[in-house]
Amino acid sequence: MAPDSTHFYVSEQNDNIVKKITRAVVSRKGFMLLCGEIGLGKTTISKRIISILDDSRIETCLILQSFYQGNDLLREIIRDFGLSTEEVRNDLPTLMEMLNSFLLQKNSAGINCAILIDDAQNMTTESLELIRLISNLETDREKLVQVILVGQPELTEKLNRPELRQLKSRLTIRQTPVPLSEKEIPNYIQFKLTRAGDPGKITINRQALKKLGRLTRGNIRQINIFMD
């Protein structure tokens, strides 16, 4: 049940999402959104994106604990980039200057940076406004940091609020995972069985596959639960 980016099933849709977001990060597009229903593999996709970016020598920050808000969120971002905040005052200007200096240093060395925040639907309006400030950090020519927000449909509803219209206007990439198709379900199950060590002895008849598709509607988490 845990997100597993090492045994990542590459459906056509997921593959396109990963390619589009990683390409946008490499191209320094700024602010991106990955938003979809529960159980469609958003966290697994996120970890896959981070893995590819790390292999591409892009400095990454992954925030999975969405209970961080306001200045605490900013401190956690700075810490995840490898900096110490113990002796730093907990006020916004000081923390923003610290992050900006770090990003400028990386940019001078030719290194791109990316922040990915999971479960972003739990972020407050104040924290989302902070994300806008972070996404504003740039040189005369390019963005210093690329921000990817990952969340459930409630996140889209929040971004539609009038007070967050400036953040929404900066959105350059929006991707939405979809359930597995009827044809993809047996491929997904066989992929997982093979990764678990099955030498091809386990088979599932067509009737069972149809029933599984009908009951789960292609939701990956629900398929995992039924198969378990």
Side-chain angles (χ1 to χ4, degrees):
M1 290 303 299
D4 186 0
S5 59
T6 57
H7 294 164
F8 181 73
Y9 176 73
V10 186
S11 68
E12 183 177 356
Q13 173 73 5
N14 287 345
D15 188 43
N16 285 336
I17 288 173
V18 171
K19 286 178 179 177
K20 286 179 180 179
I21 292 181
T22 52
R23 188 161 52 239
V25 170
V26 171
S27 302
R28 297 180 182 256
K29 295 294 186 182
F31 179 44
M32 289 147 260
L33 182 68
L34 174 61
C35 195
E37 292 289 347
I38 296 171
L40 295 182
K42 295 186 299 298
T43 298
T44 305
I45 291 172
S46 299
K47 290 187 175 182
R48 179 68 173 170
I49 290 169
I50 290 292
S51 176
I52 293 173
L53 295 179
D54 285 340
D55 290 342
S56 303
R57 293 188 70 250
I58 292 175
E59 195 90 16
T60 59
C61 162
L62 176 60
I63 304 296
L64 296 174
Q65 298 85 2
S66 60
F67 54 78
Y68 290 114
Q69 302 289 349
N71 288 356
D72 290 336
L73 173 62
L74 183 51
R75 291 178 75 93
E76 186 61 21
I77 289 171
I78 293 170
R79 280 197 293 263
D80 204 71
F81 272 131
L83 303 178
S84 174
T85 61
E86 292 182 5
E87 304 297 326
V88 179
R89 291 183 304 175
N90 193 35
D91 64 83
L92 183 61
T94 300
L95 293 171
M96 284 295 292
E97 178 57 34
M98 185 177 186
L99 178 61
N100 189 52
S101 297
F102 168 80
L103 296 174
L104 284 170
Q105 180 183 5
K106 291 295 179 180
N107 188 68
S108 296
I111 298 173
N112 192 2
C113 294
I115 300 169
L116 190 149
I117 302 176
D118 200 4
D119 276 338
Q121 75 277 353
N122 296 325
M123 296 174 69
T124 63
T125 300
E126 175 193 9
S127 296
L128 288 169
E129 176 62 16
L130 173 62
I131 294 302
R132 183 185 70 81
L133 295 176
I134 292 173
S135 68
N136 279 347
L137 298 176
E138 56 191 10
T139 65
D140 291 337
R141 298 171 55 191
E142 57 194 4
K143 293 287 185 181
L144 289 175
V145 63
Q146 323 316 312
V147 180
I148 308 163
L149 294 186
V150 181
Q152 297 168 20
E154 297 92 319
L155 176 58
T156 300
E157 295 174 10
K158 280 189 176 182
L159 291 176
N160 286 332
R161 294 176 182 174
E163 61 268 29
L164 290 172
R165 63 185 181 278
Q166 290 191 59
L167 176 60
K168 184 181 177 181
S169 70
R170 284 163 174 73
L171 188 60
T172 58
I173 297 290
R174 183 197 299 265
Q175 292 295 303
T176 303
V178 297
L180 296 178
S181 68
E182 185 178 337
K183 292 182 179 180
E184 286 178 317
I185 291 175
N187 295 335
Y188 172 75
I189 292 173
Q190 189 57 56
F191 172 84
K192 286 294 185 181
L193 288 173
T194 302
R195 293 296 188 186
D198 172 51
K201 293 182 178 180
I202 298 175
T203 59
I204 303 171
N205 65 43
R206 187 176 299 176
Q207 185 180 0
L209 286 170
K210 284 186 175 180
K211 194 167 187 177
L212 185 67
R214 187 172 67 252
L215 292 171
T216 65
R217 297 181 180 179
N219 184 290
I220 293 173
R221 184 177 300 175
Q222 292 300 315
I223 292 172
N224 290 346
I225 290 172
F226 271 95
M227 289 304 298
D228 184 63

